[in-house]
Amino acid sequence: VPDVVLLGPAGCGKSALTGALAHKLRRHHRVLTVNLDPGVLRLPYLPDYDVRDIVTIPRLMREEGLGPNGALVRAMEIIVRRLRVPKRGHTYRIVDTPGQLEIFAFTPYGPAILRKLENPIAVFIIDGTLRPRDLPVFYLLALATRIRLAVPTILVVNKADLLDDRERKRLLNYLTNPKLLKRIRVSGLIADMYHEVCDLLATLVPAQRIPLVSAITGEGLDELCDLLHEVYCVCGDLT
Ligand SMILES: Nc1nc2c(ncn2[C@@H]2O[C@H](COP(=O)(O)OP(=O)(O)OP(=O)(O)O)[C@@H](O)[C@H]2O)c(=O)[nH]1
Ligand SMILES: [Mg+2]
């Protein structure tokens, strides 16, 4: 029974994709949705388990005089202790994570939460509307997140509905061949480092399919489901 954990930088579509993926998988499977974001006000899906029943950001800000990020750190600390994710004969649990990736992945709490899940598979979401020249940085973030969480990870590009055919091809080409990113002209202080990072990515990034999906139109979700199934069955082949 895999737990599918949706991760990615702020606004990449974690919550939207949680809803869309659950909707898709529910045609053939029993699916539970889990919201781990104590700060969200409205979700585009109805969570079966919701950490806001344990703690919320507005309450912590009020009661402990914290800012939004301090409150999220505090919330994760509380959640780790009290989290009891339900098991009800499901075949998939889809897990939505907080907007601030670094508070989930780069504190002890996200990794601790993943240890409470069953066979977690991470789906790292890249926003398809990023400029190609920004891809190396997001790739590094995906790799750093993967090192922190140490679970099998699939990369997906979301918001495909906003891209035309040319943009889709270009993006996938760059993502599957990071060496091509060296062709992008960057100048100034970071130019050398940028090119070295592209070389590094070319050696570190595993050859794997990268589904192009849209949480809005549902395109590409079949491919993502197939890939999840493969990763779960083969377990390790893509990690
Ligand atoms: N066009 C388009 N918009 C999308 C897609 N997925 C998400 N969005 C939009 O992107 C914005 C952010 O989506 P969310 O699902 O809230 O993203 P998130 O990663 O959960 O955001 P945080 O939890 O706040 O970090 C919303 O306006 C969504 O409607 C998509 O596939 N296509
Ligand atoms: Mg969200």
Side-chain angles (χ1 to χ4, degrees):
V1 183
D3 283 335
V4 180
V5 184
L6 295 170
L7 295 163
C12 63
K14 297 175 288 293
S15 302
L17 215 48
T18 298
L21 194 57
H23 181 73
K24 182 99 209 166
L25 285 167
R26 277 192 174 125
R27 288 194 311 193
H28 301 291
H29 302 276
R30 292 208 47 193
V31 177
L32 295 181
T33 49
V34 176
N35 171 44
L36 292 184
D37 187 352
V40 71
L41 292 181
R42 203 168 351 135
L43 287 169
Y45 61 93
L46 197 68
D48 295 296
Y49 180 84
D50 194 339
V51 291
R52 290 177 299 176
D53 295 336
I54 300 175
V55 66
T56 67
I57 298 297
R59 204 186 88 201
L60 281 176
M61 289 175 69
R62 243 187 352 259
E63 290 179 0
E64 303 195 14
L66 297 164
N69 289 312
L72 181 54
V73 175
R74 178 86 179 100
M76 297 312 286
E77 189 190 342
I78 295 168
I79 289 163
V80 163
R81 276 187 276 117
R82 299 192 33 201
L83 188 73
R84 299 280 179 278
V85 190
K87 301 181 188 184
R88 283 188 232 123
H90 61 280
T91 42
Y92 281 94
R93 286 189 299 207
I94 316 288
V95 183
D96 185 13
T97 57
Q100 289 87 334
L101 172 67
E102 82 276 22
I103 297 178
F104 187 77
F106 302 124
T107 61
Y109 309 121
I113 285 175
L114 287 203
R115 284 194 292 274
K116 291 190 156 191
L117 299 179
E118 277 174 19
N119 306 311
I121 298 175
V123 173
F124 191 96
I125 305 166
I126 290 196
D127 187 322
T129 62
L130 287 177
R131 296 179 306 172
R133 60 174 296 157
D134 292 328
L135 288 176
V137 173
F138 283 82
Y139 238 137
L140 285 178
L141 187 62
L143 286 173
T145 303
R146 182 167 170 178
I147 290 170
R148 283 288 303 169
L149 301 178
V151 300
T153 302
I154 294 173
L155 212 59
V156 300
V157 176
N158 188 33
K159 308 194 185 180
D161 58 292
L162 300 176
L163 306 176
D164 64 28
D165 282 346
R166 220 185 103 251
E167 290 168 324
R168 286 162 189 239
K169 260 208 195 111
R170 200 160 75 122
L171 195 61
L172 279 188
N173 207 18
Y174 278 133
L175 281 171
T176 47
N177 308 294
K179 241 191 172 124
L180 298 178
L181 289 161
K182 281 180 82 172
R183 292 188 195 157
I184 296 174
R185 268 240 297 269
V186 289
S187 53
L189 278 178
I190 51 107
D192 287 349
M193 196 194 281
Y194 182 92
H195 289 131
E196 277 176 39
V197 164
C198 295
D199 283 333
L200 177 71
L201 290 175
T203 67
L204 282 183
V205 169
Q208 67 174 36
R209 278 184 287 146
I210 300 177
L212 211 60
V213 306
S214 167
I216 303 288
T217 65
E219 75 165 279
L221 293 180
D222 280 326
E223 194 190 350
L224 174 57
C225 291
D226 288 349
L227 202 52
L228 284 170
H229 189 71
E230 274 172 39
V231 172
Y232 178 58
C233 293
V234 181
C235 231
D237 199 36
L238 295 180
T239 65

